[in-house]
Amino acid sequence: MKNSTLSAAPIVVASEPERRTARDLRIGEEGTVCCLRDPDMALKLLEMGCVPGQRVRLRSVAPLGCPLTLVVGDDEYTLSLRREEAATIGL
């Protein structure tokens, strides 16, 4: 006698949509920092001016997609980050 097992389809639960990150910006687009997602990277980003409430603008992207150049705040402070690092900056 064969055992027939029913395989149920996986249950997909709708979750809160992902927030945008600095990695998602297009050249010239701005966003406001809301949170820093990686505790290990957060201290470095805070020291470089990426504090919640601060405006950031994507200035450029290198030809191969990494690094990204962000302008932080109104004082034109320029910051170059890897794509993975930019993904930790929630907007």
Side-chain angles (χ1 to χ4, degrees):
M1 184 187 321
K2 290 184 179 178
N3 284 340
S4 63
T5 57
L6 296 174
S7 61
I11 298 173
V12 178
V13 179
S15 62
E16 180 181 326
E18 282 283 321
R19 287 177 95 47
R20 290 188 71 197
T21 66
R23 180 179 63 184
D24 301 325
L25 292 174
R26 295 174 190 242
I27 294 176
E29 190 176 11
E30 291 187 356
T32 302
V33 176
C34 76
C35 57
L36 301 172
R37 298 179 178 178
D38 181 5
D40 296 330
M41 189 67 191
L43 181 59
K44 291 179 187 178
L45 291 170
L46 288 169
E47 289 173 344
M48 292 186 275
C50 289
V51 295
Q54 187 67 264
R55 301 284 299 170
V56 294
R57 177 174 50 87
L58 183 63
R59 175 179 282 167
S60 63
V61 179
L64 296 177
C66 190
L68 308 175
T69 305
L70 294 174
V71 176
V72 180
D74 296 330
D75 58 353
E76 296 291 314
Y77 177 74
T78 303
L79 179 63
S80 292
L81 298 172
R82 295 180 184 103
R83 292 182 67 75
E84 300 82 33
E85 294 167 339
T88 67
I89 303 172
L91 304 177

